Amino acid sequence: MTKREILLRLLSYMRRDRRQFVIATIFLLVAAVAEVTGPYLVQIFLDNYVAKDHYPAMIMWALAVGYIVSTIVSAGFQYQYELRFNTMAVAIIQRIRKAVFANVIKQPLSAFDYVPMGRIVSRLTNDTESLKELYVSVLSTFLRNIALIGVMLVAMLMLSVQLTMVVLVLLPCVVLVMARYQKRSAPAYRRARDRLADINGVMNESVLGMNLIQLMQQERAFSSRFSDMTADHLDAMVTIQRLNGIYLRPLIDLLAGAALLSLVAIFGFSGTAVIGVGVLYAFLSYLGRITEPLIEMMQQLSLLQQAISAGERLFEMMDTPPEQYGHDTTPIPDGAIALQNVSFSYDGETPVLSDVNVDVPAGGFLALVGHTGSGKSTLASLLMGFYRAGEGTLTLGGLPIESLSHQSLRDGVAMVQQDPHMLTGSLRENIALGQTLDDEKIWHALEQVALADYVKGLPAGLDTLLGEGGMTFSAGQRQLLALARVLVRQPKILILDEATANIDSGTEELVQQALNRLRQQMTVVVIAHRLSTIAEADNILVLHRGRVIEQGRHQSLLRQQGRYWQMYQLQQASAHLAALEEEAQV
């Protein structure tokens, strides 16, 4: 999109509040007329009464009262204009921010594979604030000043056409200066905004990964990287300030000074016989009031540049197509899973899964094992619909996954991840996640994961606050809580992605018991690090470099003495060594 198209699109958001805009404009025009009336009344006083040394009391009082009333009316209607216009502007920003956020959370996960989270947050916060300045400051200022200049020009024409022509020469020159300023400042503002987004992204990543940075002694490297970005941002800002120092006031003041000298020269040559002292006073007053709005509009161009750059990025996020789902709203009838010749690649070049075939009946227990990078989590993501298979077919409950609507897919398939995200709210809020659930349903889910007794023992029960990231609960409790979170939805397929990797053997036993109960209600897919968790699985897929190299039940795979048998022996040896170490410490 060009800058003109971006600006027109931003202005189009005002159509929804056109009635509010019309009322604000009427207030603005009344305020402008009232402001111009003051110097006009002074001109009448000087030329008609002071010059003739005639001061009728009634007229003097009328002029004084008129001057005071015009000042009060100007201030009052200006306030009403600002109030209504700014209210409309803030409402527009809220709509834009909600539209961008609504589209961001609907994006496929692939859209976030290579985009830093800090950059996205920066766009949702800093860029929307820049847009607010467009409506609150730029548009408001331009409309107010254009109305004021227009009314003053009309008043000038009524006073003296000859002097008005002198002032009108100033306006085209100012327009040329403004155009030149906009052309030269646009690249600098765009660079400044991009660097600011990068700075926020690095700050976000650094704070989240602070323990890793300090552990790997990379403080100096990250500080150097941050310093380079801030230096580039500073250079862009210095360029902007240099342009501001040249274009904003000096050139405008120079043009205004030339116009002022021309007015004085005309008055000197013509004398009071042609141009009265009051007219000269009014013109000098109007010239000063024209100059300041012109300078103010020039200053607002910097905010306009920022707003256009921000609008470009926000519209890019807003216009990115959301995750595409099918149109079949039929609920998944059962938990049957079928993959036929499924292959997948994240970048279209490096294969992650190759020719995967598996059939899981409804109520079955499928386990996925393999070393890091074998494709286990990728296969789970395909089952969740986070990514589309590059080749082959994948059906859930006999229905092609690409035909399922978003609602059907999310109601039918649920996942518990290795490190589940916890909100800072209450335990109830973490289970409901925005849904309207009665406490009975929540307690039933907690009982299914053997967490109900613990929660009942808490002083606040379901209203217990979990703290930042759920840190008041242990890793095992967070896993059980995440499991309860998905059980309230009663999905047909439950996926556990390394859900037992970070928990102790006691909690693992609780998860195992919960899985045995859940198998009566749904199909269970477990990505396992600990092979003891999947000993009862109906089918175990052993993945290596994206291919299924072995599959079968636990005992049959052990008898084959292949890769699964090797993994099992390594874990048994590790467990034996750990037991010996405990005995030695005792």
Side-chain angles (χ1 to χ4, degrees):
M1 297 177 67
T2 64
K3 290 188 291 185
R4 181 175 180 274
E5 291 173 337
I6 294 170
L7 181 59
L8 290 176
R9 183 171 175 180
L10 290 171
L11 296 178
S12 68
Y13 280 91
M14 301 174 66
R15 295 175 184 170
R16 180 172 173 178
D17 301 306
R18 60 171 63 92
R19 181 175 179 273
Q20 187 88 335
F21 177 75
V22 170
I23 295 174
T25 303
I26 293 173
F27 285 142
L28 174 62
L29 291 175
V30 174
V33 171
E35 185 173 348
V36 171
T37 301
Y40 197 88
L41 294 175
V42 174
Q43 178 269 326
I44 294 175
F45 172 70
L46 292 176
D47 287 345
N48 295 353
Y49 301 100
V50 174
K52 299 177 180 179
D53 197 24
H54 177 58
Y55 307 99
M58 291 296 296
I59 295 179
M60 293 299 101
W61 276 106
L63 290 174
V65 171
Y67 189 90
I68 295 172
V69 170
S70 66
T71 303
I72 295 174
V73 170
S74 175
F77 277 80
Q78 181 65 36
Y79 168 76
Q80 289 295 329
Y81 161 71
E82 295 286 352
L83 179 63
R84 292 180 178 273
F85 195 91
N86 290 350
T87 300
M88 177 185 66
V90 171
I92 291 174
I93 292 301
Q94 288 180 345
R95 292 202 300 271
I96 293 177
R97 183 182 285 120
K98 288 191 291 186
V100 174
F101 181 76
N103 196 54
V104 167
I105 61 176
K106 293 178 182 178
Q107 293 299 304
L109 289 187
S110 57
F112 306 100
D113 286 343
Y114 305 105
V115 180
M117 291 298 103
R119 178 181 289 271
I120 296 175
V121 173
S122 176
R123 291 185 177 183
L124 288 171
T125 54
N126 295 339
D127 287 349
T128 50
E129 284 300 308
S130 294
L131 282 191
K132 186 178 74 173
E133 293 301 321
L134 168 67
Y135 295 102
V136 173
S137 297
V138 179
L139 291 182
S140 177
T141 300
F142 267 73
L143 288 175
R144 183 180 68 251
N145 292 334
I146 289 173
L148 182 60
I149 292 173
V151 173
M152 282 192 293
L153 288 176
V154 172
M156 288 179 179
L157 286 171
M158 293 173 61
L159 293 173
S160 171
V161 175
Q162 183 183 12
L163 296 184
T164 303
M165 293 300 103
V166 175
V167 175
L168 286 177
V169 174
L170 173 66
L171 297 181
C173 297
V174 172
V175 172
L176 292 175
V177 172
M178 293 172 69
R180 180 64 176 172
Y181 171 77
Q182 183 180 17
K183 182 178 180 180
R184 295 197 61 183
S185 63
Y189 274 107
R190 186 177 295 109
R191 182 158 65 99
R193 297 297 301 178
D194 289 342
R195 292 295 77 78
L196 182 60
D198 292 338
I199 288 171
N200 288 330
V202 170
M203 289 178 63
N204 184 69
E205 289 181 346
S206 300
V207 171
L208 292 177
M210 187 66 68
N211 56 345
L212 177 62
I213 294 173
Q214 295 183 359
L215 182 65
M216 302 302 293
Q217 296 181 334
Q218 293 299 306
E219 295 92 340
R220 180 174 298 179
F222 274 76
S223 295
S224 176
R225 179 186 176 193
F226 187 80
S227 297
D228 292 340
M229 289 184 178
T230 54
D232 194 19
H233 180 261
L234 176 62
D235 181 66
M237 294 303 298
V238 168
T239 301
I240 292 170
Q241 295 304 318
R242 186 180 297 115
L243 292 173
N244 292 348
I246 296 173
Y247 286 92
L248 288 188
R249 183 166 288 276
L251 287 179
I252 300 297
D253 284 344
L254 179 63
L255 294 173
L260 175 62
L261 291 175
S262 300
L263 291 177
V264 174
I266 292 174
F267 179 78
F269 285 116
S270 301
T272 57
V274 178
I275 302 173
V277 175
V279 173
L280 180 62
Y281 164 81
F283 265 80
L284 293 178
S285 177
Y286 289 147
L287 180 61
R289 298 190 184 200
I290 284 179
T291 304
E292 287 305 319
L294 291 175
I295 293 174
E296 192 175 4
M297 286 193 291
M298 284 285 289
Q299 292 172 335
Q300 295 298 321
L301 286 179
S302 61
L303 295 178
L304 178 62
Q305 294 291 348
Q306 295 181 44
I308 291 176
S309 299
E312 181 179 13
R313 287 188 292 269
L314 289 173
F315 288 146
E316 179 184 348
M317 297 175 67
M318 193 184 300
D319 297 339
T320 302
E323 176 67 275
Q324 298 298 315
Y325 295 92
H327 302 287
D328 189 354
T329 58
T330 304
I332 297 176
D334 55 53
I337 301 172
L339 288 84
Q340 296 181 353
N341 304 318
V342 169
S343 298
F344 176 77
S345 172
Y346 287 103
D347 57 9
E349 298 179 0
T350 306
V352 180
L353 292 174
S354 301
D355 200 28
V356 177
N357 293 272
V358 65
D359 285 299
V360 184
F365 183 176
L366 174 68
L368 307 176
V369 300
H371 295 299
T372 301
S374 60
K376 308 183 299 297
S377 295
T378 299
L379 184 54
S381 295
L382 294 182
L383 294 175
M384 287 295 299
F386 292 153
Y387 299 92
R388 294 292 178 87
E391 298 177 8
T393 59
L394 196 167
T395 62
L396 303 177
L399 302 174
I401 191 170
E402 60 271 10
S403 70
L404 296 174
S405 67
H406 180 258
Q407 187 68 34
S408 297
L409 190 58
R410 292 294 165 259
D411 287 344
V413 188
M415 176 185 283
V416 178
Q417 297 173 310
Q418 179 177 349
D419 187 17
H421 179 71
M422 294 293 158
L423 306 177
T424 56
S426 67
L427 193 148
R428 179 189 282 104
E429 292 170 336
N430 270 274
I431 295 179
L433 287 181
Q435 303 175 79
T436 302
L437 301 176
D438 54 48
D439 288 357
E440 182 180 354
K441 195 169 186 178
I442 295 176
W443 283 116
H444 178 67
L446 292 173
E447 288 172 357
Q448 286 183 292
V449 298
L451 203 58
D453 291 339
Y454 175 78
V455 175
K456 289 177 180 178
L458 297 174
L462 293 177
D463 295 318
T464 301
L465 297 178
L466 270 65
E468 182 71 26
M471 295 307 296
T472 57
F473 274 37
S474 67
Q477 290 170 333
R478 291 198 297 271
Q479 288 287 3
L480 294 175
L481 187 58
L483 186 55
R485 173 191 291 169
V486 300
L487 293 183
V488 295
R489 304 178 68 95
Q490 292 296 308
K492 299 296 183 180
I493 301 172
L494 174 63
I495 303 173
L496 277 72
D497 186 358
E498 300 279 13
T500 62
N502 298 324
I503 60 179
D504 55 59
S505 57
T507 306
E508 181 185 5
E509 181 63 26
L510 293 177
V511 173
Q512 186 67 49
Q513 294 174 5
L515 290 179
N516 291 333
R517 289 191 295 269
L518 294 174
R519 290 180 59 188
Q520 310 302 320
Q521 310 167 27
M522 60 192 70
T523 301
V524 177
V525 178
V526 176
I527 299 175
H529 173 72
R530 296 179 181 176
L531 302 184
S532 57
T533 309
I534 59 168
E536 302 298 324
D538 300 326
N539 190 15
I540 301 173
L541 294 188
V542 183
L543 294 167
H544 180 64
R545 294 181 180 177
R547 294 184 178 274
V548 179
I549 58 173
E550 299 174 10
Q551 65 174 304
R553 297 182 68 90
H554 176 71
Q555 292 298 332
S556 65
L557 290 175
L558 290 179
R559 286 193 294 270
Q560 294 178 22
Q561 295 191 358
R563 185 171 295 274
Y564 183 83
W565 177 82
Q566 294 175 357
M567 296 170 60
Y568 184 78
Q569 294 299 320
L570 287 173
Q571 289 194 12
Q572 291 294 102
S574 297
H576 182 64
L577 288 174
L580 292 177
E581 289 179 358
E582 289 183 4
E583 292 179 2
Q585 292 176 357
V586 173

